[in-house]
Amino acid sequence: MDSHPDQPEKTVIKRIVALEGDVVQTRSPYPEAHVRIPRGHCWVEGDEMFHSRDSNHYGPVPLGLVRSKVEYVLYPFNRFGRIPDKPRGNRIRYAPGHKVYNRLDHE
């Protein structure tokens, strides 16, 4: 859960898919095909990839705007449960030392 980068008074819930040093293969309308996440930032995306205003619209988000971590889906009931901590396909190249990078490197 974080503040909207352009409207800090607005709260949005997005999935953090990359952290500083990671490289993301972006989606339209982001102007570049790939972006390396700068220090102190993260890349966020909504679960509905083609219906979400996220980092593909406004770029990397300062970590200072992240306020909390959502761990469970409560509604709709058919999605009730813990949110898995997993990478999203092969669009992310994790930086060395990143917990997901280390896990993938040893599988």
Side-chain angles (χ1 to χ4, degrees), residues 2-103:
D2 57 8
S3 298
H4 189 285
D6 298 329
Q7 303 167 8
E9 71 284 353
K10 184 178 177 183
T11 299
V12 295
I13 297 177
K14 302 291 179 192
R15 185 180 305 271
I16 295 176
V17 297
L19 296 171
E20 60 184 49
D22 296 341
V23 176
V24 177
Q25 179 182 352
T26 64
R27 293 191 171 113
S28 181
Y30 199 75
E32 300 168 25
H34 294 86
V35 64
R36 181 176 300 277
I37 308 306
R39 185 178 190 142
H41 287 71
C42 61
W43 189 266
V44 298
E45 293 186 350
D47 287 343
E48 298 290 328
M49 71 174 115
F50 298 109
H51 303 286
S52 177
R53 292 198 54 84
D54 52 26
S55 286
N56 289 293
H57 286 82
Y58 43 74
V61 174
L63 287 172
L65 293 180
V66 177
R67 298 195 306 234
S68 60
K69 179 180 179 181
V70 176
E71 296 196 25
Y72 289 87
V73 173
L74 301 177
Y75 189 83
F77 297 122
N78 65 338
R79 291 184 55 203
F80 180 85
R82 189 169 183 79
I83 296 173
D85 182 24
K86 64 178 183 177
R88 292 187 60 168
N90 59 359
R91 294 182 41 243
I92 315 298
R93 296 212 194 306
Y94 296 101
H98 188 285
K99 69 177 185 173
V100 177
Y101 174 91
N102 292 334
R103 186 172 67 229

